[in-house]
Amino acid sequence: MADERAVPLVAVIGVSGSGKSTVGRALARELAVPYAEGDDFHPESNVAKMRAGTPLTDQDRMPWLHAVGGWLADHAAEGGVVACSALRRGYRDLLAAAAPGVFFVHLHGSAELIGARMAERHGHFMPSSLLRSQLDTLEALQHDEQGAVVPVDGTPQDTAALAVAVVRAHLSPDAARQPPIGL
């Protein structure tokens, strides 16, 4: 019987500006699996709220989370990487229920670092004024969740390399004997 972890199914999570899209694309390329941008699953009403500087409610997020979970479930056999915030444990539980093999790569950095990165990017609908609300919403990965914390204080290439390493370690046949990965 094949090891169910032989196929990478990954959600790259974290607050806006942490590098989810950049790292997610690099991770998918390195693992040779499809990539999906979580922002593309938001209904226009969510994008309009965020663009206006209004944080989303749990009710706003539910259709988006179900769509992301559906994408993960649809890619469980072939593997895939999706970038999405999944800031709360309940959101990650919803994704894991849709796609039980999903592995969470939580990109983590200081508010100052991420705020500076958000201030430098152009053309994204998420204003840096919403960073505080995202940090307040963020719930750390728990020991019983499949995932690892990856620091973002290096270059995007450094962060992507760390993400690839933790996913490959998770996929390893002896991963169960390895200690948890994180900060």
Side-chain angles (χ1 to χ4, degrees), residues 3 5 24 37 83 110 119 136 159 169 178 180:
D3 183 346
R5 292 188 294 183
E37 176 56 56
S110 71
D136 291 345
T159 303
Q178 297 175 1

Side-chain angles (χ1 to χ4, degrees), residues 69-84:
W71 187 91
L72 285 165
D74 290 347
H75 289 81
E78 68 181 299
V81 175
V82 66
C84 68

